[in-house]
Amino acid sequence: MAGHHSSSSSSASSSFQTFASRLLLLLTVLPLTLAVFAFVLQWRGGLNDPVTRWSPNHHEFPGMGSLPRPVVHASSRSSDCVDPLGQSRSPSFPYYRDWKFDYASDLRPQICIQTSTSAGLEQTLPWIFYHKVVGVSNFLLFVEGQAASPNVTKVLETIPGVKVIHRTRELEEQQAKSRIWNETWLSTFFYKPCNYELFVKQSLNMEMAIVMAREAGMDWIIHLDTDELIYPAGTREYSLRQLLSDVPGDADMVIFPNYESSVERDDIKEPFSEVSMFKKNYDHLPKDVYFGNYREATRGNPNYYLTYGNGKSAARIQDHLRPNGAHRWHNYMKTPNEIKLEEAAILHYTYPKFSDLTSRRDRCGCKPTKEDVKRCFMLEFDRVAFIIASTATQDEMLSWYRERIVWTDKALNLKLLRKGILTRIYAPMIIIQGLRESGVFSSVIASAVKVTLSKDQFLLSVESSNSSRETTYGAITSRKIGKTFDSQATARKFLEFRANTSHPLAVAPLSPPGLDDFSFETQMFSKS
């Protein structure tokens, strides 16, 4: 019995050891097998490493997929004309059809951007195609100066959805008979030069653009300068079309607060590709943060922003629509309902290049005195900048530019970034750089110039007259004088309806609220 018991124990022990050995082998082999399997899948492209996918050096963008690379025709590769703008093989946005931009006419809403510009191709092409990426289908370009030159317009007219309108004598005669000249809502700006005359011209062009956009079947129209980009924040796919699709049907106008560029160098060449820091709008900041950091954010300048702070707007195309100056729209038959957006904005690249000082000076014939510049410019910083550019030496101008415009104090920048006054926005930079590297700009140019232009002619057509958001002034002069009016600050509204009853006259470019406004609000609050 004892021998039988000992034999049974020995057999059980041996079986357990065998089971343990097999289990240990399985636990060893299984992880190794899974590791090898995962390695093979990733090596063959079956898995996406999230760390690699979203790393700074990986240029894929949220919503992007692995679509076929853009095709560059052999003729454009061999052309010397396309070399200055470069080519690459970057991935593309699947919902933008591999950068082809051939939108179907049934996509809704259909969005039109209208502008008055004298900028060259180096600024206009990135501006157009960036907005195509975010969902704009049509562009109405009222061109003068460099933008109206044959070499530039030849390229612009080849882009689908782009219509170029020259300031001809016939156009001026037609606009001289427009309804605007027989009304008083724009009369504040008549009989004044430079920015005032530009403002009138923009309004005349906007009035004509409404008719053209409606005939083209557009649903929304936006007036935008070529130094401004729409930033459709708050949408899943970075889409202006999606943003406007979500607007309630009884909203007539959408207000985009503007952010102002804050350049960190004095040698910027391509603002859209080199500037990522922006100052946030008053409407997108808590009042205590805005006024509590006002002096540091202003840095000795006349106001929180260098130029305007009252944003731009999109209007639903409907009966009796009219412009209300370059920043707003109105309706002859009703008070429009407005919505002010909580996240989306207009990115305004303000004085991003040192050359902007002299280019503005060269387009205005005003005397560089405090009194005379008031005839030419509506905002105080523009007046100061004009005087500096007209009276200072090159070195003095550069010193002033660095002090008043360039954000060189990294400690201050970091503080204001943490406070939320400044913010980093990289999406436009990534999109435009991707467009450039994909060969979109060079392909458009090559297709337009390969037959009629030599390399030297092409380079000559784009190298001069650096970008500007203001046009060269034409033959129409402001011929009416009306009363001036004082605009009052309006309450902040985020994604809410607001009756547009406070702006019966054209809305001028307005500075953001100043410390005087804060003192007034404080006094009113204490009295109540």
Side-chain angles (χ1 to χ4, degrees):
M1 291 293 292
H4 178 72
H5 178 74
S6 175
S7 176
S8 298
S9 299
S10 176
S11 176
S13 175
S14 176
S15 298
F16 177 78
Q17 289 178 357
T18 301
F19 173 76
S21 299
R22 290 177 177 176
L23 180 62
L24 181 62
L25 179 63
L26 178 65
L27 293 175
T28 302
V29 172
L30 182 61
L32 290 175
T33 303
L34 292 175
V36 171
F37 180 66
F39 173 77
V40 170
L41 281 180
Q42 189 170 11
W43 176 68
R44 294 184 62 187
L47 293 177
N48 285 327
D49 177 13
V51 176
T52 303
R53 184 179 184 187
W54 304 119
S55 67
N57 295 327
H58 191 80
H59 299 295
E60 196 163 327
F61 199 79
M64 293 172 63
S66 300
L67 289 188
R69 291 170 178 170
V71 177
V72 180
H73 300 292
S75 60
S76 64
R77 286 182 181 175
S78 62
S79 172
D80 291 336
C81 297
V82 301
D83 293 340
L85 297 180
Q87 299 177 3
S88 183
R89 296 290 184 273
S90 298
S92 59
F93 291 72
Y95 41 89
Y96 296 124
R97 309 187 183 185
D98 203 21
W99 302 121
K100 293 180 181 178
F101 310 110
D102 50 347
Y103 298 120
S105 59
D106 58 344
L107 291 177
R108 285 291 184 267
Q110 290 280 295
I111 305 166
C112 173
I113 285 182
Q114 179 272 330
T115 191
S116 302
T117 184
S118 62
L121 290 178
E122 74 284 348
Q123 178 171 338
T124 309
L125 286 183
W127 180 83
I128 289 174
F129 281 95
Y130 168 84
H131 286 110
K132 279 182 171 285
V133 167
V134 302
V136 177
S137 55
N138 283 48
F139 298 81
L140 298 173
L141 310 182
F142 289 76
V143 297
E144 299 182 52
Q146 174 77 0
S149 66
N151 292 342
V152 173
T153 56
K154 183 178 181 62
V155 174
L156 296 176
E157 288 170 347
T158 65
I159 304 172
V162 173
K163 183 174 180 58
V164 178
I165 303 98
H166 291 263
R167 178 153 289 280
T168 62
R169 181 172 297 278
E170 290 75 18
L171 176 67
E172 293 179 347
E173 291 175 351
Q174 183 178 356
Q175 290 186 340
K177 300 175 183 177
S178 72
R179 185 170 181 174
I180 287 178
W181 293 111
N182 297 314
E183 298 173 338
T184 60
W185 59 269
L186 193 63
S187 60
T188 303
F189 304 90
F190 293 159
Y191 268 150
K192 295 180 182 179
C194 297
N195 277 11
Y196 289 91
E197 185 175 352
L198 170 64
F199 194 78
V200 173
K201 189 181 298 182
Q202 287 174 328
S203 299
L204 290 167
N205 292 342
M206 291 167 70
E207 182 184 44
M208 182 172 287
I210 292 171
V211 177
M212 299 171 70
R214 188 163 192 168
E215 290 176 349
M218 298 293 104
D219 300 300
W220 291 88
I221 186 168
I222 305 170
H223 167 75
L224 211 64
D225 294 326
T226 51
D227 63 354
E228 298 170 329
L229 300 178
I230 295 175
Y231 175 53
T235 59
R236 185 179 59 186
E237 296 181 345
Y238 201 77
S239 168
L240 179 63
R241 181 176 285 120
Q242 179 187 339
L243 186 71
L244 294 179
S245 294
D246 295 337
V247 172
D250 53 349
D252 303 303
M253 187 162 61
V254 175
I255 308 300
F256 292 82
N258 62 299
Y259 291 5
E260 190 173 79
S261 63
S262 300
V263 298
E264 299 168 85
R265 309 194 324 266
D266 61 14
D267 60 348
I268 299 293
K269 302 299 182 186
E270 298 176 351
F272 294 156
S273 299
E274 299 180 58
V275 178
S276 65
M277 191 165 74
F278 296 85
K279 190 184 290 186
K280 294 182 73 173
N281 192 283
Y282 166 78
D283 282 328
H284 285 182
L285 290 169
K287 288 185 179 181
D288 60 333
V289 172
Y290 177 85
F291 289 110
N293 298 274
Y294 186 88
R295 295 191 187 279
E296 287 183 296
T298 303
R299 302 191 310 150
N301 288 317
N303 199 269
Y304 174 77
Y305 273 174
L306 302 183
T307 55
Y308 78 90
N310 54 331
K312 291 291 181 72
S313 61
R316 194 187 300 274
I317 296 179
Q318 54 188 293
D319 292 341
H320 313 297
L321 180 67
R322 73 158 170 86
N324 201 31
H327 295 259
R328 295 291 187 270
W329 306 85
H330 202 68
N331 194 292
Y332 282 112
M333 301 302 293
K334 67 176 182 178
T335 299
N337 287 326
E338 295 180 359
I339 285 180
K340 184 173 288 187
L341 296 174
E342 187 177 26
E343 297 179 76
I346 297 294
L347 304 181
H348 184 201
Y349 294 77
T350 312
Y351 289 93
K353 296 186 291 185
F354 175 62
S355 60
D356 289 338
L357 284 180
T358 53
S359 64
R360 291 168 188 258
R361 173 201 67 193
D362 296 341
R363 288 193 303 274
C364 258
C366 290
K367 298 177 182 178
T369 63
K370 291 184 178 180
E371 287 303 318
D372 202 54
V373 293
K374 292 179 181 179
R375 296 189 307 111
C376 296
F377 301 100
M378 305 178 200
L379 299 173
E380 185 60 30
F381 185 86
D382 287 331
R383 298 168 182 170
V384 174
F386 180 82
I387 293 175
I388 290 294
S390 301
T391 60
T393 65
Q394 187 76 3
D395 290 340
E396 290 171 339
M397 278 194 293
L398 183 58
S399 177
W400 183 88
Y401 183 82
R402 289 170 175 167
E403 177 185 352
R404 297 301 183 94
I405 297 177
V406 184
W407 291 72
T408 56
D409 188 338
K410 294 184 178 180
L412 176 61
N413 296 353
L414 182 59
K415 176 182 178 179
L416 295 181
L417 282 166
R418 288 172 174 170
K419 292 283 188 178
I421 296 287
L422 297 176
T423 186
R424 292 284 183 185
I425 299 176
Y426 294 102
M429 179 185 297
I430 294 171
I431 290 172
I432 289 174
Q433 189 61 33
L435 287 164
R436 179 176 288 109
E437 293 178 355
S438 297
V440 172
F441 307 146
S442 54
S443 295
V444 170
I445 294 172
S447 65
V449 304
K450 62 183 178 181
V451 176
T452 58
L453 289 182
S454 68
K455 176 181 177 181
D456 292 339
Q457 287 174 313
F458 164 70
L459 293 177
L460 183 63
S461 71
V462 299
E463 70 181 359
S464 62
S465 294
N466 278 337
S467 57
S468 165
R469 70 184 177 92
E470 298 185 37
T471 63
T472 304
Y473 304 113
I476 284 190
T477 57
S478 303
R479 58 187 179 93
K480 293 187 179 180
I481 300 177
K483 297 179 180 179
T484 59
F485 74 100
D486 296 325
S487 176
Q488 298 179 352
T490 56
R492 292 169 58 191
K493 296 290 182 180
F494 298 145
L495 293 175
E496 297 176 6
F497 284 107
R498 177 157 61 94
N500 186 13
T501 57
S502 59
H503 301 302
L505 302 181
V507 179
L510 304 175
S511 295
L515 290 179
D516 291 340
D517 299 286
F518 176 69
S519 300
F520 176 76
E521 289 185 7
T522 304
Q523 291 174 8
M524 294 299 293
F525 180 78
S526 61
K527 289 180 180 179
S528 61

